[in-house]
Amino acid sequence: MAERSGPGRVLLVTGVSRDLGRRFARAAARHPNVERVIGVDVAPPRGDIGKVGFVRADIRNPVIAKVIAKEEVDTVVHLSVIATPGTTGGRSTMKELNVIGTMQLLAACQTAPSLRQVVVKSTTQVYGASSRDPAMFTESMEPRRTPSSGYARDVADIESYVRGFARRRPDVAVTVLRCANVLGPNVVSPIASHFRRSVVPNVLGFDPRLQFLHEQDLYGVLEHSVRTGVPGTFNVAGDGVLTHSQVARRLQRMTVPIPEPLFGLARFGGGEYPAELRALLTYGRGVDTTRMRSLLGFEPRYTTAETVVDFADSVMPSPNRADRALAALESRLTGASGD
């Protein structure tokens, strides 16, 4: 498909109260072929949004259809799927924002005559992580263990609704980006918090393979997808994989092995490890990015290893109570084993 470079593009970006949505919307508004960008969220953005027009609206509410129609939006970039409850009010609210919000947004898109493109940021967590996984997941593969709850389940439901929308609106180019775990100096996420610890826990007996996507490449693939309009589902990750121990060494982090049954008791950033992260840090995951290059036409600037190096520059040792507790736990476990 030829690049969509005509003048007068009107973008609607969801989730602009968070850094990803805010930064992408601000960058998109500077593009010469974009007439205007409308940022939508339930709370105002934190920080400068440049020329982006902000509309305070909840995508769970049908009023979003009026926003799309009034602004004559031709491109929707859906970035408001969240991985952790945070300040949203708990897991039930998080699920409602993710799943119900996406359903309402797609219902609004279905009736919008001006719409020509939808881009959805998804995640490789849709594949899950288990001992039965293949070496590399391709986009046509299903998870070996279907998630029954949590963020991974939300993403599976969201992608199902997106596929249904694509069948109902074949005239709209629908792009789903299954992004690997994102790292970078400005990233706040469960995996980033895990590796920012001065003492990093690992599951005893496991050294999982990990892939990362640099935050700048995340912005890059979103911009590329909007600009080119290539439809389809694509794995997006930097080249190569690293094991958990290799990442820790590159970050100059001490690791503490914890038996798998006890790993769920470890805490970080004031909360428990999400189930998806516990599974990833046990079994790891790899995805094939052939379609990203051959069909989408996107080439990340950073490999997985280079992403970790850049992330390392922003990581400073910060011992805290949780780290000391992990060190004490390691000492007790070592003493109990008689080593």
Side-chain angles (χ1 to χ4, degrees):
M1 182 180 292
E3 290 192 352
R4 301 186 61 201
S5 55
R9 301 286 302 275
V10 180
L11 276 63
L12 183 140
V13 181
T14 68
V16 293
S17 69
R18 289 179 290 276
D19 285 345
L20 170 60
R22 176 177 60 84
R23 290 178 178 175
F24 171 75
R26 187 176 60 187
R30 294 196 296 264
H31 197 281
N33 292 324
V34 172
E35 179 180 330
R36 63 186 184 276
V37 176
I38 301 97
V40 175
D41 214 324
V42 294
R46 295 168 296 183
D48 179 29
I49 58 172
K51 298 180 180 179
V52 177
F54 174 68
V55 175
R56 189 165 190 162
D58 190 336
I59 63 171
R60 293 171 293 178
N61 191 306
V63 72
I64 191 66
K66 296 181 179 179
V67 176
I68 293 174
K70 178 183 177 182
E71 299 291 345
E72 297 184 326
V73 171
D74 62 67
T75 302
V76 168
V77 184
H78 186 29
L79 304 179
S80 63
V81 179
I82 56 176
T84 55
T87 59
T88 62
R91 169 61 194 149
S92 61
T93 304
M94 169 185 162
K95 181 177 180 64
E96 188 175 312
L97 287 168
N98 286 343
V99 179
I100 304 303
T102 299
M103 287 178 63
Q104 288 288 4
L105 178 66
L106 293 175
C109 290
Q110 186 172 334
T111 60
S114 61
L115 193 69
R116 295 292 177 266
Q117 184 180 15
V118 172
V119 177
V120 178
K121 179 194 173 294
S122 186
T123 171
T124 56
Q125 291 192 46
V126 73
Y127 298 117
S130 77
S131 59
R132 301 165 54 199
D133 288 350
M136 291 286 178
F137 278 102
T138 64
E139 290 85 349
S140 62
M141 292 180 177
E142 299 290 333
R144 293 301 189 263
R145 183 177 299 166
T146 303
S148 58
S149 61
Y151 176 55
R153 181 67 201 183
D154 289 358
V155 175
D157 289 342
I158 287 167
E159 287 202 8
S160 175
Y161 299 140
V162 172
R163 288 192 295 271
F165 168 80
R167 289 191 296 269
R168 293 188 298 271
R169 286 291 304 265
D171 58 312
V172 175
V174 178
T175 306
V176 176
L177 303 173
R178 290 178 176 169
C179 300
N181 290 93
V182 179
L183 275 186
N186 302 301
V187 172
V188 178
S189 69
I191 194 74
S193 296
H194 171 75
F195 282 116
R196 281 194 172 104
R197 306 181 66 141
S198 56
V199 179
V200 177
N202 66 284
V203 182
L204 181 65
F206 293 87
D207 196 11
R209 296 173 305 121
L210 303 173
Q211 275 178 304
F212 296 111
L213 178 68
H214 194 282
E215 60 179 316
Q216 293 303 321
D217 285 325
L218 172 57
Y219 296 123
V221 74
L222 288 168
E223 186 277 332
H224 177 89
S225 298
V226 170
R227 177 168 50 83
T228 61
V230 178
T233 299
F234 304 95
N235 293 332
V236 183
D239 273 349
V241 298
L242 291 175
T243 63
H244 184 273
S245 61
Q246 289 174 325
V247 175
R249 284 197 296 272
R250 283 164 170 75
L251 298 176
Q252 298 183 6
R253 272 4 192 197
M254 178 188 300
T255 58
V256 178
I258 299 177
E260 186 178 0
L262 300 178
F263 193 81
L265 301 178
R267 300 177 68 84
F268 76 106
E272 297 179 355
Y273 276 78
E276 298 85 6
L277 182 56
R278 296 199 303 268
L280 178 67
L281 296 178
T282 304
Y283 303 109
R285 180 171 52 243
V287 297
D288 182 278
T289 56
T290 301
R291 282 174 53 87
M292 176 190 73
R293 291 178 171 80
S294 62
L295 297 181
L296 184 61
F298 179 73
E299 184 73 34
R301 291 174 52 198
Y302 293 82
T303 65
T304 287
E306 289 168 344
T307 298
V308 171
V309 169
D310 193 53
F311 177 68
D313 291 340
S314 68
V315 175
M316 300 296 291
S318 55
N320 57 37
R321 186 182 306 171
D323 295 333
R324 292 194 294 272
L326 278 171
L329 176 59
E330 180 189 28
S331 177
R332 290 198 298 271
L333 290 173
T334 302
S337 65
D339 291 340

